[in-house]
Amino acid sequence: MAKHPELNAKIDTMVNCRFSTIDVFKHPCLILLIFTQVALAPLSSFAHFTTGIFRKLAPYGNAIETFLRTVGTWGWLDSEGVGDILLQRKCAQTYQQAKRCLKALNIIMGSNPENLQLELMPLVKANLLHGTSVPVIAQFAQNYLAGETFQAYDFGRKGNVIRYGSIKPLAYALKNITAPVYIYSGGADRLVTPQDVDWLLTQLGNIKRSVRIQTYNHGDFLWGTDVNEMLYNSVLADLPPP
């Protein structure tokens, strides 16, 4: 990398994959600077995710967002360390707490309980519930309700006309990504489901390889006990030489 000003590779993971990919569409010049894109558990369509509580709340996304904006809340778990406090008190103090939180994580992200050591719960605490903006959470609900699509935030008919020149939110043309793309996904992922990844594969125009690790849930890409053997060694082999 020191010898080349170009971005030799871009590795996206979890939700960051969605928004860093959007950066490419906002700034098309970035496409010419990316030689390889490796996407881990890449979120695009959100139509088939199976986490029950999120599916039940999604139809009320606009109402929840409106209420939060009305009371002056623009961030979600972002200012007072609420997420840290919750995880510290409920997950990171005793072995039994860690076991209960592991069960909760598997309900949300997908079942693979043997691939997270309870001793790593402080690491989980350090990476979860660190906040985002209310519109980001609202956009997840919007995309779930929109079905199989990869679209921008929906500002409503008037707002969309102002921002996108259309009454509907902008749909991103994934085929415009010209860099070679390597996809890694989990067969047990409840957030980025195999069905949504399959849809993504039909939209991208330069896929070099797609690997589905059947036992992996959403969190395994971060803290799986076998992540080196199952994932990282292969990812490193995909990257171009410096």
Side-chain angles (χ1 to χ4, degrees):
M1 287 292 289
K3 296 180 180 179
H4 302 283
E6 300 89 352
L7 303 177
N8 278 0
K10 182 171 70 150
I11 300 179
D12 301 324
T13 183
M14 305 304 169
V15 68
N16 291 331
C17 177
R18 176 181 183 83
F19 296 104
S20 56
T21 300
I22 288 175
D23 289 337
V24 171
F25 294 100
K26 288 184 176 180
H27 309 285
C29 60
L30 290 177
I31 293 177
L32 301 177
L33 300 178
I34 297 172
F35 289 170
T36 301
Q37 179 163 356
V38 181
L40 312 182
L43 175 58
S44 53
S45 165
F46 208 42
H48 300 286
F49 84 116
T50 59
T51 302
I53 186 171
F54 295 157
R55 289 173 65 98
K56 291 179 179 179
L57 290 175
Y60 308 100
N62 288 339
I64 294 172
E65 182 183 12
T66 299
F67 170 77
L68 291 174
R69 289 187 175 189
T70 300
V71 299
T73 300
W74 292 90
W76 178 259
L77 299 176
D78 67 333
S79 58
E80 301 297 330
V82 176
D84 272 342
I85 295 171
L86 177 65
L87 288 176
Q88 179 64 34
R89 291 182 178 178
K90 299 299 183 180
C91 295
Q93 295 188 20
T94 69
Y95 183 80
Q96 290 302 319
Q97 284 183 340
K99 287 181 65 176
R100 286 196 297 269
C101 287
L102 175 59
K103 291 182 179 179
L105 286 174
N106 278 268
I107 291 173
I108 295 172
M109 296 185 174
S111 181
N112 193 15
E114 303 302 322
N115 207 29
L116 173 59
Q117 297 175 349
L118 294 179
E119 293 81 0
L120 292 180
M121 198 55 72
L123 173 64
V124 175
K125 182 186 78 68
N127 286 276
L128 285 182
L129 300 184
H130 276 257
T132 186
S133 69
V134 169
V136 168
I137 300 299
Q139 189 174 3
F140 284 129
Q142 292 175 1
N143 277 265
Y144 166 63
L145 298 174
E148 292 184 332
T149 185
F150 184 51
Q151 66 179 31
Y153 179 82
D154 189 345
F155 290 93
R157 293 171 66 93
K158 183 178 179 180
N160 290 340
V161 169
I162 295 173
R163 291 169 175 82
Y164 310 129
S166 168
I167 62 174
K168 294 183 178 181
L170 174 69
Y172 296 111
L174 291 165
K175 291 189 182 297
N176 290 342
I177 296 177
T178 57
V181 180
Y182 298 83
I183 303 286
Y184 291 84
S185 61
D189 195 333
R190 300 193 67 179
L191 296 175
V192 179
T193 63
Q195 296 97 315
D196 285 323
V197 174
D198 288 344
W199 176 85
L200 174 62
L201 295 176
T202 68
Q203 304 300 304
L204 291 167
N206 194 12
I207 299 174
K208 292 301 181 182
R209 187 150 60 96
S210 175
V211 177
R212 180 161 298 156
I213 306 173
Q214 292 297 336
T215 58
Y216 263 36
N217 66 25
H218 203 64
D220 289 328
F221 290 89
L222 285 176
W223 49 66
T225 58
D226 59 359
V227 73
N228 282 336
E229 299 80 14
M230 298 295 292
L231 180 66
Y232 292 157
N233 290 338
S234 181
V235 168
L236 290 174
D238 292 336
L239 300 181

